[in-house]
Amino acid sequence: MTESRSLRIGHEKAFLFLSDEYDGASTRSRHDGQLWAMRTRLRVPQLEASALVHLTDSQDTSLLEFFVELAPQWRGWDGIAEWRAYEGGLTLSCTHDGRGTISMGTELRDMHLDWVVRAIVPIDAGALEQLALDVAAFFAP
């Protein structure tokens, strides 16, 4: 069995934490190591929430593709760049302020307990390229 992997997106006090382990078990396929779900924890001052977010191959864009497409646009873009997980367990809505900060609107849902939390996670725009590499390492089988 391989060691578990995790990824933190954001800053020290406001971040999205992804892990391939949930309740002590791996969320990777035993057959090929593909990630089928991820433990997702959203933490901002005075709020912390965690849920299991399911993934699927049939999504239009993977989370990796989302960050790979954003990376070359670190200087900015117009509008909102959005990604949504299978079944809507996690939604990311990123905007760029044109001054070097990305506001990652994060919506985390627990589909079984029927709750939703929303928060903004700041990301340094200059860190997008490294973030795309980190996401690739996290999702690699």
Side-chain angles (χ1 to χ4, degrees), residues 4-8 17-20 134 138:
S4 64
R5 288 183 236 162
S6 61
L7 173 64
R8 189 169 102 176
F17 180 83
L18 309 175
S19 173
D20 66 356
D134 293 344
F138 176 72

Side-chain angles (χ1 to χ4, degrees), residues 16-19 21-22 37-42 49-53 89-90 106 108 115:
L16 184 66
F17 180 83
L18 309 175
S19 173
E21 188 176 307
Y22 187 79
M38 56 190 177
R39 180 178 142 240
T40 306
R41 182 169 51 122
L42 176 61
S50 180
L52 182 65
V53 174
L90 177 65
T106 307
L108 181 61
W115 57 256

Side-chain angles (χ1 to χ4, degrees), residues 91-109:
T91 301
L92 305 178
S93 302
C94 297
T95 59
H96 196 294
D97 68 0
R99 297 178 304 225
T101 302
I102 296 164
S103 294
M104 185 173 72
T106 307
E107 181 178 286
L108 181 61
R109 293 178 178 271

Side-chain angles (χ1 to χ4, degrees), residues 1-127:
M1 184 172 155
T2 62
E3 288 189 31
S4 64
R5 288 183 236 162
S6 61
L7 173 64
R8 189 169 102 176
I9 302 170
H11 290 274
E12 183 178 320
K13 293 184 180 183
F15 59 85
L16 184 66
F17 180 83
L18 309 175
S19 173
D20 66 356
E21 188 176 307
Y22 187 79
D23 284 345
S26 175
T27 59
R28 293 185 181 274
S29 166
R30 290 183 188 185
H31 172 70
D32 61 8
Q34 293 293 324
L35 200 61
W36 59 267
M38 56 190 177
R39 180 178 142 240
T40 306
R41 182 169 51 122
L42 176 61
R43 182 174 177 200
V44 296
Q46 302 179 11
L47 172 72
E48 186 168 338
S50 180
L52 182 65
V53 174
H54 293 274
L55 305 168
T56 180
D57 290 338
S58 66
Q59 284 180 256
D60 292 335
T61 304
S62 72
L63 187 58
L64 173 57
E65 291 169 325
F66 177 73
F67 282 109
V68 165
E69 289 173 10
L70 283 184
Q73 301 180 63
W74 65 271
R75 287 188 177 98
W77 62 84
D78 293 326
I80 299 171
E82 187 171 87
W83 178 83
R84 181 178 308 268
Y86 176 69
E87 296 180 348
L90 177 65
T91 301
L92 305 178
S93 302
C94 297
T95 59
H96 196 294
D97 68 0
R99 297 178 304 225
T101 302
I102 296 164
S103 294
M104 185 173 72
T106 307
E107 181 178 286
L108 181 61
R109 293 178 178 271
D110 186 300
M111 307 306 267
H112 301 288
L113 298 176
D114 196 29
W115 57 256
V116 61
V117 295
R118 293 178 186 92
I120 302 293
V121 173
I123 301 172
D124 295 327

